[in-house]
Amino acid sequence: MIELRRAHERGHADHGWLDSWHSFSFADYRDPEHTQFRALRVINDDTVQPGQGFGTHGHSDMEIVSYVLEGALAHQDSSGGGSVIRPGSVQRMSAGTGVRHSEFNASQSERVHFLQIWFLPNRTGTPPGYEEKHFDEAEKRGKLRLVASPDGADGSVRIQADARMFAALLDGEERIEQAVASDRFVYVHVAQGGLSVNGRDLVTGDAAKLIDEDRLVLERGRKAEVLVFELW
């Protein structure tokens, strides 16, 4: 079964300095039909204006991954983690027993566009932590590049969640086909561009849930950047 979630069906909040689209219930957006998918709890598609951002605030028992699409995002947290991340970088913050952090647009002249992704942890009460890795375009061109996983396989960032996260770039004749194990679920989010997912056309902001599907096929990309989540 393939369930599509179109971009315009998501929750939306425009705060002036922040334009945010919510794939799942978040803040004032409440949708009982879209609260989470397995361990995948949040995908917020955020655009922050120059010099603006999220002031210091707290989290606990959540695995938070930031994926920058455009611009530069400055991060600081109480676990000692902090840097400016740009397109190609994947940042993981494990909130664990509690962490405070801030996120700001590092530029005074250009916006930053990024995806903030939360996973429910498979263990609670762990020490907070931070990790960051960079993945070149060549690693994602026409293939699924593992960028986050429970065991840090293939140089991915390590998340304490029952999930693996992949990134891919597809254009033209590039095609990806991958078997899906019978006990796995797949969530596909189109970050930019357009492509076909198992024969269904998706564009920027669209998503697809794959349940009881034995194969994932990504093709007919149109400058597409896509995130694929394998969940169990």
Side-chain angles (χ1 to χ4, degrees), residues 9-223:
E9 298 171 343
R10 299 174 295 172
H12 183 226
D14 187 348
H15 301 286
W17 65 273
L18 166 69
D19 188 76
S20 186
W21 291 87
H22 309 310
S23 295
F24 301 98
S25 293
F26 188 85
D28 293 333
Y29 170 58
R30 291 288 182 266
D31 185 344
E33 298 299 319
H34 299 93
T35 57
Q36 66 188 73
F37 186 50
R38 311 297 293 182
L40 184 57
R41 174 62 186 86
V42 166
I43 301 179
N44 285 349
D45 187 342
D46 290 340
T47 300
V48 179
Q49 294 302 311
Q52 301 295 312
F54 304 89
T56 301
H57 59 284
H59 295 285
S60 61
D61 288 328
M62 195 66 69
E63 298 290 294
I64 300 174
V65 173
S66 296
Y67 187 97
V68 177
L69 298 167
E70 175 189 356
L73 182 69
H75 169 98
Q76 292 288 333
D77 71 58
S78 57
S79 77
S83 68
V84 176
I85 63 172
R86 294 177 170 83
S89 294
V90 176
Q91 176 196 83
R92 180 269 299 166
M93 184 181 74
S94 296
T97 54
V99 68
R100 294 181 63 77
H101 79 134
S102 63
E103 292 173 299
F104 277 86
N105 186 339
S107 172
Q108 295 297 318
S109 59
E110 299 179 351
R111 68 180 191 174
V112 62
H113 180 199
F114 70 103
L115 299 175
Q116 186 176 110
I117 300 152
W118 295 12
F119 297 95
L120 298 170
N122 51 26
R123 291 180 295 163
T124 59
T126 60
Y130 176 91
E131 186 180 13
E132 178 190 332
K133 295 285 182 70
H134 185 84
F135 303 92
D136 293 334
E137 285 194 9
E139 299 180 70
K140 298 175 282 187
R141 173 57 57 197
K143 66 187 79 170
L144 289 175
R145 177 53 163 105
L146 183 65
V147 297
S149 66
D151 57 359
D154 298 330
S156 59
V157 300
R158 188 183 299 267
I159 54 173
Q160 299 176 102
D162 295 332
R164 297 204 301 166
M165 174 178 160
F166 301 82
L169 301 171
L170 288 95
D171 198 28
E173 298 301 314
E174 294 168 338
R175 185 178 190 271
I176 298 171
E177 184 170 353
Q178 182 165 299
V180 178
S182 60
D183 61 344
R184 299 299 167 101
F185 302 79
V186 174
Y187 190 92
V188 180
H189 178 85
V190 183
Q192 300 184 105
L195 78 165
S196 169
V197 178
N198 286 30
R200 309 290 187 88
D201 285 334
L202 276 69
V203 297
T204 302
D206 288 350
K209 290 180 183 177
L210 278 63
I211 302 171
D212 294 328
E213 294 284 324
D214 62 4
R215 193 157 299 276
L216 169 68
V217 179
L218 307 177
E219 58 188 342
R220 298 200 299 274
R222 302 176 298 283
K223 297 183 179 179

